[in-house]
Each structure stands twice: as C-alpha cells, then as structure tokens.
PDB file of all heavy atoms in Angstrom:
ATOM      1  N   PRO B  20       1.518 -12.517  -9.803  1.00 97.00           N
ATOM      2  CA  PRO B  20       0.944 -12.826 -11.130  1.00 97.00           C
ATOM      3  C   PRO B  20       1.117 -11.696 -12.153  1.00 97.00           C
ATOM      4  O   PRO B  20       1.089 -11.930 -13.360  1.00 97.00           O
ATOM      5  CB  PRO B  20      -0.521 -13.113 -10.860  1.00 97.00           C
ATOM      6  CG  PRO B  20      -0.814 -12.358  -9.584  1.00 97.00           C
ATOM      7  CD  PRO B  20       0.461 -12.450  -8.765  1.00 97.00           C
ATOM      8  N   ASP B  21       1.284 -10.461 -11.663  1.00 96.00           N
ATOM      9  CA  ASP B  21       1.472  -9.322 -12.574  1.00 96.00           C
ATOM     10  C   ASP B  21       2.920  -8.892 -12.571  1.00 96.00           C
ATOM     11  O   ASP B  21       3.256  -7.728 -12.299  1.00 96.00           O
ATOM     12  CB  ASP B  21       0.553  -8.162 -12.149  1.00 96.00           C
ATOM     13  CG  ASP B  21       0.500  -7.048 -13.194  1.00 96.00           C
ATOM     14  OD1 ASP B  21       1.079  -7.234 -14.277  1.00 96.00           O
ATOM     15  OD2 ASP B  21      -0.090  -5.991 -12.889  1.00 96.00           O
ATOM     16  N   ALA B  22       3.829  -9.839 -12.840  1.00 96.00           N
ATOM     17  CA  ALA B  22       5.263  -9.546 -12.870  1.00 96.00           C
ATOM     18  C   ALA B  22       5.634  -8.899 -14.196  1.00 96.00           C
ATOM     19  O   ALA B  22       5.196  -9.331 -15.265  1.00 96.00           O
ATOM     20  CB  ALA B  22       6.055 -10.819 -12.664  1.00 96.00           C
ATOM     21  N   ARG B  23       6.447  -7.846 -14.115  1.00 91.00           N
ATOM     22  CA  ARG B  23       6.833  -7.093 -15.304  1.00 91.00           C
ATOM     23  C   ARG B  23       8.331  -6.803 -15.259  1.00 91.00           C
ATOM     24  O   ARG B  23       9.016  -7.094 -14.305  1.00 91.00           O
ATOM     25  CB  ARG B  23       6.091  -5.765 -15.356  1.00 91.00           C
ATOM     26  CG  ARG B  23       4.580  -5.867 -15.143  1.00 91.00           C
ATOM     27  CD  ARG B  23       3.926  -4.501 -15.181  1.00 91.00           C
ATOM     28  NE  ARG B  23       2.511  -4.538 -14.826  1.00 91.00           N
ATOM     29  CZ  ARG B  23       1.717  -3.484 -14.817  1.00 91.00           C
ATOM     30  NH1 ARG B  23       2.205  -2.298 -15.159  1.00 91.00           N
ATOM     31  NH2 ARG B  23       0.429  -3.587 -14.471  1.00 91.00           N
ATOM     32  N   GLY B  24       8.840  -6.217 -16.360  1.00 86.00           N
ATOM     33  CA  GLY B  24      10.207  -5.780 -16.371  1.00 86.00           C
ATOM     34  C   GLY B  24      10.332  -4.417 -15.692  1.00 86.00           C
ATOM     35  O   GLY B  24       9.307  -3.755 -15.451  1.00 86.00           O
ATOM     36  N   PRO B  25      11.538  -4.012 -15.326  1.00 94.00           N
ATOM     37  CA  PRO B  25      12.812  -4.692 -15.592  1.00 94.00           C
ATOM     38  C   PRO B  25      13.055  -5.875 -14.670  1.00 94.00           C
ATOM     39  O   PRO B  25      12.595  -5.893 -13.533  1.00 94.00           O
ATOM     40  CB  PRO B  25      13.849  -3.595 -15.338  1.00 94.00           C
ATOM     41  CG  PRO B  25      13.183  -2.703 -14.312  1.00 94.00           C
ATOM     42  CD  PRO B  25      11.725  -2.705 -14.648  1.00 94.00           C
ATOM     43  N   GLU B  26      13.779  -6.863 -15.202  1.00 94.00           N
ATOM     44  CA  GLU B  26      14.094  -8.052 -14.402  1.00 94.00           C
ATOM     45  C   GLU B  26      15.320  -7.825 -13.550  1.00 94.00           C
ATOM     46  O   GLU B  26      15.373  -8.267 -12.404  1.00 94.00           O
ATOM     47  CB  GLU B  26      14.338  -9.242 -15.344  1.00 94.00           C
ATOM     48  CG  GLU B  26      14.715 -10.515 -14.627  1.00 94.00           C
ATOM     49  CD  GLU B  26      14.908 -11.688 -15.564  1.00 94.00           C
ATOM     50  OE1 GLU B  26      14.669 -11.519 -16.778  1.00 94.00           O
ATOM     51  OE2 GLU B  26      15.290 -12.785 -15.090  1.00 94.00           O
ATOM     52  N   HIS B  27      16.329  -7.145 -14.085  1.00 94.00           N
ATOM     53  CA  HIS B  27      17.610  -6.996 -13.396  1.00 94.00           C
ATOM     54  C   HIS B  27      17.944  -5.537 -13.084  1.00 94.00           C
ATOM     55  O   HIS B  27      17.439  -4.619 -13.724  1.00 94.00           O
ATOM     56  CB  HIS B  27      18.726  -7.602 -14.249  1.00 94.00           C
ATOM     57  CG  HIS B  27      18.613  -9.083 -14.423  1.00 94.00           C
ATOM     58  ND1 HIS B  27      18.778  -9.984 -13.377  1.00 94.00           N
ATOM     59  CD2 HIS B  27      18.319  -9.836 -15.513  1.00 94.00           C
ATOM     60  CE1 HIS B  27      18.609 -11.208 -13.833  1.00 94.00           C
ATOM     61  NE2 HIS B  27      18.318 -11.157 -15.103  1.00 94.00           N
ATOM     62  N   GLN B  28      18.830  -5.370 -12.144  1.00 95.00           N
ATOM     63  CA  GLN B  28      19.276  -4.040 -11.729  1.00 95.00           C
ATOM     64  C   GLN B  28      20.019  -3.344 -12.863  1.00 95.00           C
ATOM     65  O   GLN B  28      20.653  -3.965 -13.706  1.00 95.00           O
ATOM     66  CB  GLN B  28      20.180  -4.164 -10.508  1.00 95.00           C
ATOM     67  CG  GLN B  28      20.874  -2.894 -10.071  1.00 95.00           C
ATOM     68  CD  GLN B  28      19.915  -1.853  -9.524  1.00 95.00           C
ATOM     69  OE1 GLN B  28      18.868  -1.593 -10.095  1.00 95.00           O
ATOM     70  NE2 GLN B  28      20.257  -1.244  -8.407  1.00 95.00           N
ATOM     71  N   SER B  29      19.937  -2.017 -12.879  1.00 95.00           N
ATOM     72  CA  SER B  29      20.611  -1.196 -13.879  1.00 95.00           C
ATOM     73  C   SER B  29      21.355  -0.070 -13.165  1.00 95.00           C
ATOM     74  O   SER B  29      20.747   0.740 -12.474  1.00 95.00           O
ATOM     75  CB  SER B  29      19.579  -0.605 -14.855  1.00 95.00           C
ATOM     76  OG  SER B  29      20.107   0.517 -15.522  1.00 95.00           O
ATOM     77  N   ALA B  30      22.673  -0.035 -13.363  1.00 97.00           N
ATOM     78  CA  ALA B  30      23.459   1.063 -12.766  1.00 97.00           C
ATOM     79  C   ALA B  30      23.084   2.395 -13.396  1.00 97.00           C
ATOM     80  O   ALA B  30      23.252   3.435 -12.766  1.00 97.00           O
ATOM     81  CB  ALA B  30      24.951   0.783 -12.933  1.00 97.00           C
ATOM     82  N   ALA B  31      22.594   2.367 -14.624  1.00 97.00           N
ATOM     83  CA  ALA B  31      22.152   3.605 -15.272  1.00 97.00           C
ATOM     84  C   ALA B  31      20.995   4.221 -14.492  1.00 97.00           C
ATOM     85  O   ALA B  31      20.957   5.442 -14.246  1.00 97.00           O
ATOM     86  CB  ALA B  31      21.742   3.343 -16.721  1.00 97.00           C
ATOM     87  N   ALA B  32      20.044   3.379 -14.089  1.00 97.00           N
ATOM     88  CA  ALA B  32      18.920   3.884 -13.271  1.00 97.00           C
ATOM     89  C   ALA B  32      19.403   4.325 -11.903  1.00 97.00           C
ATOM     90  O   ALA B  32      18.973   5.367 -11.378  1.00 97.00           O
ATOM     91  CB  ALA B  32      17.859   2.786 -13.134  1.00 97.00           C
ATOM     92  N   LEU B  33      20.331   3.580 -11.323  1.00 97.00           N
ATOM     93  CA  LEU B  33      20.872   3.941 -10.005  1.00 97.00           C
ATOM     94  C   LEU B  33      21.582   5.280 -10.058  1.00 97.00           C
ATOM     95  O   LEU B  33      21.419   6.133  -9.192  1.00 97.00           O
ATOM     96  CB  LEU B  33      21.837   2.844  -9.536  1.00 97.00           C
ATOM     97  CG  LEU B  33      22.133   2.781  -8.047  1.00 97.00           C
ATOM     98  CD1 LEU B  33      20.928   2.267  -7.265  1.00 97.00           C
ATOM     99  CD2 LEU B  33      23.336   1.860  -7.798  1.00 97.00           C
ATOM    100  N   ALA B  34      22.360   5.493 -11.134  1.00 98.00           N
ATOM    101  CA  ALA B  34      23.069   6.761 -11.287  1.00 98.00           C
ATOM    102  C   ALA B  34      22.122   7.919 -11.514  1.00 98.00           C
ATOM    103  O   ALA B  34      22.319   9.020 -10.974  1.00 98.00           O
ATOM    104  CB  ALA B  34      24.045   6.656 -12.465  1.00 98.00           C
ATOM    105  N   SER B  35      21.079   7.687 -12.290  1.00 98.00           N
ATOM    106  CA  SER B  35      20.093   8.752 -12.545  1.00 98.00           C
ATOM    107  C   SER B  35      19.370   9.137 -11.259  1.00 98.00           C
ATOM    108  O   SER B  35      19.127  10.312 -10.984  1.00 98.00           O
ATOM    109  CB  SER B  35      19.076   8.276 -13.593  1.00 98.00           C
ATOM    110  OG  SER B  35      19.702   8.039 -14.832  1.00 98.00           O
ATOM    111  N   LEU B  36      19.026   8.130 -10.449  1.00 98.00           N
ATOM    112  CA  LEU B  36      18.385   8.406  -9.156  1.00 98.00           C
ATOM    113  C   LEU B  36      19.341   9.177  -8.250  1.00 98.00           C
ATOM    114  O   LEU B  36      18.934  10.137  -7.583  1.00 98.00           O
ATOM    115  CB  LEU B  36      17.966   7.084  -8.504  1.00 98.00           C
ATOM    116  CG  LEU B  36      17.387   7.172  -7.098  1.00 98.00           C
ATOM    117  CD1 LEU B  36      16.124   8.031  -7.098  1.00 98.00           C
ATOM    118  CD2 LEU B  36      17.075   5.774  -6.565  1.00 98.00           C
ATOM    119  N   ALA B  37      20.602   8.779  -8.228  1.00 98.00           N
ATOM    120  CA  ALA B  37      21.588   9.475  -7.401  1.00 98.00           C
ATOM    121  C   ALA B  37      21.752  10.926  -7.838  1.00 98.00           C
ATOM    122  O   ALA B  37      21.855  11.835  -7.009  1.00 98.00           O
ATOM    123  CB  ALA B  37      22.923   8.755  -7.461  1.00 98.00           C
ATOM    124  N   ALA B  38      21.784  11.175  -9.143  1.00 98.00           N
ATOM    125  CA  ALA B  38      21.934  12.543  -9.645  1.00 98.00           C
ATOM    126  C   ALA B  38      20.757  13.404  -9.200  1.00 98.00           C
ATOM    127  O   ALA B  38      20.941  14.570  -8.806  1.00 98.00           O
ATOM    128  CB  ALA B  38      22.025  12.521 -11.172  1.00 98.00           C
ATOM    129  N   GLU B  39      19.546  12.841  -9.231  1.00 97.00           N
ATOM    130  CA  GLU B  39      18.368  13.575  -8.755  1.00 97.00           C
ATOM    131  C   GLU B  39      18.496  13.897  -7.268  1.00 97.00           C
ATOM    132  O   GLU B  39      18.209  15.021  -6.831  1.00 97.00           O
ATOM    133  CB  GLU B  39      17.097  12.763  -8.995  1.00 97.00           C
ATOM    134  CG  GLU B  39      16.600  12.759 -10.422  1.00 97.00           C
ATOM    135  CD  GLU B  39      15.206  12.171 -10.528  1.00 97.00           C
ATOM    136  OE1 GLU B  39      14.557  11.933  -9.474  1.00 97.00           O
ATOM    137  OE2 GLU B  39      14.762  11.932 -11.659  1.00 97.00           O
ATOM    138  N   ARG B  40      18.924  12.911  -6.497  1.00 97.00           N
ATOM    139  CA  ARG B  40      19.017  13.126  -5.043  1.00 97.00           C
ATOM    140  C   ARG B  40      20.129  14.102  -4.686  1.00 97.00           C
ATOM    141  O   ARG B  40      19.995  14.892  -3.759  1.00 97.00           O
ATOM    142  CB  ARG B  40      19.223  11.770  -4.338  1.00 97.00           C
ATOM    143  CG  ARG B  40      17.991  10.865  -4.437  1.00 97.00           C
ATOM    144  CD  ARG B  40      18.121   9.648  -3.539  1.00 97.00           C
ATOM    145  NE  ARG B  40      16.898   8.842  -3.571  1.00 97.00           N
ATOM    146  CZ  ARG B  40      16.700   7.750  -2.836  1.00 97.00           C
ATOM    147  NH1 ARG B  40      17.654   7.328  -2.015  1.00 97.00           N
ATOM    148  NH2 ARG B  40      15.573   7.089  -2.924  1.00 97.00           N
ATOM    149  N   LEU B  41      21.224  14.063  -5.416  1.00 97.00           N
ATOM    150  CA  LEU B  41      22.283  15.028  -5.169  1.00 97.00           C
ATOM    151  C   LEU B  41      21.801  16.441  -5.481  1.00 97.00           C
ATOM    152  O   LEU B  41      22.095  17.377  -4.725  1.00 97.00           O
ATOM    153  CB  LEU B  41      23.492  14.680  -6.037  1.00 97.00           C
ATOM    154  CG  LEU B  41      24.375  13.541  -5.546  1.00 97.00           C
ATOM    155  CD1 LEU B  41      25.354  13.119  -6.634  1.00 97.00           C
ATOM    156  CD2 LEU B  41      25.123  13.950  -4.278  1.00 97.00           C
ATOM    157  N   ALA B  42      21.066  16.604  -6.563  1.00 96.00           N
ATOM    158  CA  ALA B  42      20.550  17.922  -6.929  1.00 96.00           C
ATOM    159  C   ALA B  42      19.577  18.451  -5.885  1.00 96.00           C
ATOM    160  O   ALA B  42      19.477  19.669  -5.665  1.00 96.00           O
ATOM    161  CB  ALA B  42      19.889  17.867  -8.284  1.00 96.00           C
ATOM    162  N   ALA B  43      18.859  17.526  -5.212  1.00 96.00           N
ATOM    163  CA  ALA B  43      17.886  17.925  -4.207  1.00 96.00           C
ATOM    164  C   ALA B  43      18.492  18.025  -2.817  1.00 96.00           C
ATOM    165  O   ALA B  43      17.795  18.385  -1.851  1.00 96.00           O
ATOM    166  CB  ALA B  43      16.725  16.898  -4.188  1.00 96.00           C
ATOM    167  N   GLY B  44      19.776  17.709  -2.678  1.00 96.00           N
ATOM    168  CA  GLY B  44      20.425  17.755  -1.384  1.00 96.00           C
ATOM    169  C   GLY B  44      20.012  16.643  -0.441  1.00 96.00           C
ATOM    170  O   GLY B  44      20.109  16.787   0.783  1.00 96.00           O
ATOM    171  N   ALA B  45      19.560  15.520  -1.003  1.00 95.00           N
ATOM    172  CA  ALA B  45      19.089  14.397  -0.179  1.00 95.00           C
ATOM    173  C   ALA B  45      20.273  13.630   0.432  1.00 95.00           C
ATOM    174  O   ALA B  45      21.395  13.698  -0.067  1.00 95.00           O
ATOM    175  CB  ALA B  45      18.227  13.464  -1.019  1.00 95.00           C
ATOM    176  N   GLU B  46      19.987  12.884   1.472  1.00 95.00           N
ATOM    177  CA  GLU B  46      21.014  12.066   2.109  1.00 95.00           C
ATOM    178  C   GLU B  46      21.120  10.709   1.441  1.00 95.00           C
ATOM    179  O   GLU B  46      20.175  10.229   0.801  1.00 95.00           O
ATOM    180  CB  GLU B  46      20.695  11.892   3.607  1.00 95.00           C
ATOM    181  CG  GLU B  46      20.758  13.188   4.407  1.00 95.00           C
ATOM    182  CD  GLU B  46      20.546  12.941   5.893  1.00 95.00           C
ATOM    183  OE1 GLU B  46      20.293  11.770   6.273  1.00 95.00           O
ATOM    184  OE2 GLU B  46      20.638  13.912   6.654  1.00 95.00           O
ATOM    185  N   PHE B  47      22.279  10.087   1.595  1.00 98.00           N
ATOM    186  CA  PHE B  47      22.537   8.765   1.033  1.00 98.00           C
ATOM    187  C   PHE B  47      22.872   7.780   2.144  1.00 98.00           C
ATOM    188  O   PHE B  47      23.169   8.165   3.267  1.00 98.00           O
ATOM    189  CB  PHE B  47      23.680   8.827   0.024  1.00 98.00           C
ATOM    190  CG  PHE B  47      23.325   9.530  -1.267  1.00 98.00           C
ATOM    191  CD1 PHE B  47      23.396  10.920  -1.342  1.00 98.00           C
ATOM    192  CD2 PHE B  47      22.940   8.800  -2.366  1.00 98.00           C
ATOM    193  CE1 PHE B  47      23.078  11.566  -2.524  1.00 98.00           C
ATOM    194  CE2 PHE B  47      22.613   9.449  -3.559  1.00 98.00           C
ATOM    195  CZ  PHE B  47      22.678  10.831  -3.633  1.00 98.00           C
ATOM    196  N   LEU B  48      22.857   6.500   1.813  1.00 97.00           N
ATOM    197  CA  LEU B  48      23.245   5.461   2.739  1.00 97.00           C
ATOM    198  C   LEU B  48      24.756   5.328   2.757  1.00 97.00           C
ATOM    199  O   LEU B  48      25.422   5.622   1.765  1.00 97.00           O
ATOM    200  CB  LEU B  48      22.627   4.115   2.327  1.00 97.00           C
ATOM    201  CG  LEU B  48      21.098   4.043   2.315  1.00 97.00           C
ATOM    202  CD1 LEU B  48      20.650   2.719   1.711  1.00 97.00           C
ATOM    203  CD2 LEU B  48      20.550   4.197   3.728  1.00 97.00           C
ATOM    204  N   PRO B  49      25.322   4.876   3.875  1.00 96.00           N
ATOM    205  CA  PRO B  49      26.764   4.601   3.883  1.00 96.00           C
ATOM    206  C   PRO B  49      27.065   3.391   3.009  1.00 96.00           C
ATOM    207  O   PRO B  49      26.188   2.538   2.792  1.00 96.00           O
ATOM    208  CB  PRO B  49      27.042   4.320   5.361  1.00 96.00           C
ATOM    209  CG  PRO B  49      25.749   3.830   5.914  1.00 96.00           C
ATOM    210  CD  PRO B  49      24.684   4.591   5.168  1.00 96.00           C
ATOM    211  N   PRO B  50      28.269   3.277   2.470  1.00 95.00           N
ATOM    212  CA  PRO B  50      28.622   2.147   1.616  1.00 95.00           C
ATOM    213  C   PRO B  50      28.904   0.869   2.403  1.00 95.00           C
ATOM    214  O   PRO B  50      29.989   0.292   2.340  1.00 95.00           O
ATOM    215  CB  PRO B  50      29.862   2.660   0.885  1.00 95.00           C
ATOM    216  CG  PRO B  50      30.518   3.557   1.867  1.00 95.00           C
ATOM    217  CD  PRO B  50      29.383   4.242   2.597  1.00 95.00           C
ATOM    218  N   THR B  51      27.911   0.441   3.150  1.00 95.00           N
ATOM    219  CA  THR B  51      28.016  -0.795   3.926  1.00 95.00           C
ATOM    220  C   THR B  51      26.911  -1.752   3.484  1.00 95.00           C
ATOM    221  O   THR B  51      25.829  -1.335   3.087  1.00 95.00           O
ATOM    222  CB  THR B  51      27.879  -0.503   5.430  1.00 95.00           C
ATOM    223  OG1 THR B  51      26.656   0.210   5.670  1.00 95.00           O
ATOM    224  CG2 THR B  51      29.056   0.318   5.933  1.00 95.00           C
ATOM    225  N   PRO B  52      27.186  -3.060   3.539  1.00 94.00           N
ATOM    226  CA  PRO B  52      26.253  -4.025   2.956  1.00 94.00           C
ATOM    227  C   PRO B  52      24.953  -4.166   3.722  1.00 94.00           C
ATOM    228  O   PRO B  52      24.940  -4.222   4.952  1.00 94.00           O
ATOM    229  CB  PRO B  52      27.049  -5.334   2.977  1.00 94.00           C
ATOM    230  CG  PRO B  52      28.051  -5.142   4.057  1.00 94.00           C
ATOM    231  CD  PRO B  52      28.414  -3.687   4.047  1.00 94.00           C
ATOM    232  N   LEU B  53      23.867  -4.227   2.989  1.00 92.00           N
ATOM    233  CA  LEU B  53      22.547  -4.490   3.554  1.00 92.00           C
ATOM    234  C   LEU B  53      22.225  -5.970   3.275  1.00 92.00           C
ATOM    235  O   LEU B  53      21.758  -6.317   2.202  1.00 92.00           O
ATOM    236  CB  LEU B  53      21.502  -3.575   2.901  1.00 92.00           C
ATOM    237  CG  LEU B  53      20.059  -3.660   3.396  1.00 92.00           C
ATOM    238  CD1 LEU B  53      19.977  -3.284   4.875  1.00 92.00           C
ATOM    239  CD2 LEU B  53      19.175  -2.731   2.560  1.00 92.00           C
ATOM    240  N   TYR B  54      22.559  -6.828   4.239  1.00 90.00           N
ATOM    241  CA  TYR B  54      22.396  -8.262   4.034  1.00 90.00           C
ATOM    242  C   TYR B  54      20.981  -8.752   4.379  1.00 90.00           C
ATOM    243  O   TYR B  54      20.426  -9.607   3.711  1.00 90.00           O
ATOM    244  CB  TYR B  54      23.388  -9.033   4.899  1.00 90.00           C
ATOM    245  CG  TYR B  54      24.834  -8.869   4.499  1.00 90.00           C
ATOM    246  CD1 TYR B  54      25.804  -8.569   5.449  1.00 90.00           C
ATOM    247  CD2 TYR B  54      25.233  -8.997   3.172  1.00 90.00           C
ATOM    248  CE1 TYR B  54      27.136  -8.424   5.103  1.00 90.00           C
ATOM    249  CE2 TYR B  54      26.558  -8.846   2.813  1.00 90.00           C
ATOM    250  CZ  TYR B  54      27.509  -8.562   3.784  1.00 90.00           C
ATOM    251  OH  TYR B  54      28.820  -8.412   3.443  1.00 90.00           O
ATOM    252  N   LEU B  55      20.429  -8.260   5.481  1.00 88.00           N
ATOM    253  CA  LEU B  55      19.129  -8.661   6.029  1.00 88.00           C
ATOM    254  C   LEU B  55      19.120 -10.050   6.643  1.00 88.00           C
ATOM    255  O   LEU B  55      18.128 -10.458   7.225  1.00 88.00           O
ATOM    256  CB  LEU B  55      18.022  -8.569   4.952  1.00 88.00           C
ATOM    257  CG  LEU B  55      17.764  -7.213   4.341  1.00 88.00           C
ATOM    258  CD1 LEU B  55      16.543  -7.243   3.442  1.00 88.00           C
ATOM    259  CD2 LEU B  55      17.577  -6.146   5.420  1.00 88.00           C
ATOM    260  N   ARG B  56      20.205 -10.788   6.506  1.00 72.00           N
ATOM    261  CA  ARG B  56      20.310 -12.074   7.204  1.00 72.00           C
ATOM    262  C   ARG B  56      21.781 -12.400   7.318  1.00 72.00           C
ATOM    263  O   ARG B  56      22.627 -11.856   6.609  1.00 72.00           O
ATOM    264  CB  ARG B  56      19.559 -13.168   6.467  1.00 72.00           C
ATOM    265  CG  ARG B  56      20.121 -13.519   5.091  1.00 72.00           C
ATOM    266  CD  ARG B  56      19.210 -14.505   4.400  1.00 72.00           C
ATOM    267  NE  ARG B  56      19.743 -14.865   3.087  1.00 72.00           N
ATOM    268  CZ  ARG B  56      19.005 -15.362   2.104  1.00 72.00           C
ATOM    269  NH1 ARG B  56      17.696 -15.533   2.275  1.00 72.00           N
ATOM    270  NH2 ARG B  56      19.551 -15.696   0.963  1.00 72.00           N
ATOM    271  N   ARG B  57      22.101 -13.337   8.214  1.00 54.00           N
ATOM    272  CA  ARG B  57      23.488 -13.700   8.441  1.00 54.00           C
ATOM    273  C   ARG B  57      24.026 -14.560   7.299  1.00 54.00           C
ATOM    274  O   ARG B  57      23.265 -15.275   6.658  1.00 54.00           O
ATOM    275  CB  ARG B  57      23.621 -14.469   9.761  1.00 54.00           C
ATOM    276  CG  ARG B  57      23.435 -13.554  10.989  1.00 54.00           C
ATOM    277  CD  ARG B  57      23.395 -14.344  12.267  1.00 54.00           C
ATOM    278  NE  ARG B  57      22.153 -15.107  12.347  1.00 54.00           N
ATOM    279  CZ  ARG B  57      21.777 -15.795  13.432  1.00 54.00           C
ATOM    280  NH1 ARG B  57      22.554 -15.815  14.494  1.00 54.00           N
ATOM    281  NH2 ARG B  57      20.642 -16.447  13.452  1.00 54.00           N
ATOM    282  N   PRO B  58      25.342 -14.488   7.035  1.00 50.00           N
ATOM    283  CA  PRO B  58      25.916 -15.315   5.963  1.00 50.00           C
ATOM    284  C   PRO B  58      25.832 -16.794   6.284  1.00 50.00           C
ATOM    285  O   PRO B  58      25.641 -17.179   7.439  1.00 50.00           O
ATOM    286  CB  PRO B  58      27.380 -14.842   5.912  1.00 50.00           C
ATOM    287  CG  PRO B  58      27.635 -14.255   7.261  1.00 50.00           C
ATOM    288  CD  PRO B  58      26.340 -13.640   7.705  1.00 50.00           C
ATOM    289  N   ASP B  59      25.984 -17.642   5.272  1.00 49.00           N
ATOM    290  CA  ASP B  59      25.882 -19.083   5.463  1.00 49.00           C
ATOM    291  C   ASP B  59      26.971 -19.588   6.395  1.00 49.00           C
ATOM    292  O   ASP B  59      26.722 -20.435   7.261  1.00 49.00           O
ATOM    293  CB  ASP B  59      25.994 -19.804   4.117  1.00 49.00           C
ATOM    294  CG  ASP B  59      24.799 -19.519   3.225  1.00 49.00           C
ATOM    295  OD1 ASP B  59      23.697 -19.351   3.770  1.00 49.00           O
ATOM    296  OD2 ASP B  59      24.958 -19.485   1.995  1.00 49.00           O
TER     297      ASP B  59
END
C-alpha cells in the first residue's frame, strides 16, 4: 500500500553503486543470469 518511486531500473543508479563498491574494494557478482526459476 505504500508503493513509491522509482518504478523502473536506472543504469545511472547501478553505475553509481558500482563506482562506490569499486572504490571500497568490494566484490561483484559474475555476469551470469539470476533467474530464480526455470524458463518456460
């Protein structure tokens, strides 16, 4: 009931988060898909 924006993903936010994590020496996920369920 308390739904707010943003509604959609933003690569700008993703890039900003990545820049912070790179500066902190944090680890990243491998570029493999996170499906959470099998395809149709």
Side-chain angles (χ1 to χ4, degrees):
D21 190 7
R23 311 178 187 182
E26 178 179 356
H27 294 292
Q28 172 67 315
S29 161
L33 200 71
S35 297
L36 175 60
E39 283 191 10
R40 292 190 176 183
L41 282 168
E46 295 185 357
F47 289 83
L48 298 172
T51 55
L53 182 62
Y54 293 132
L55 299 187
R56 65 186 181 202
R57 287 172 290 187
D59 293 327

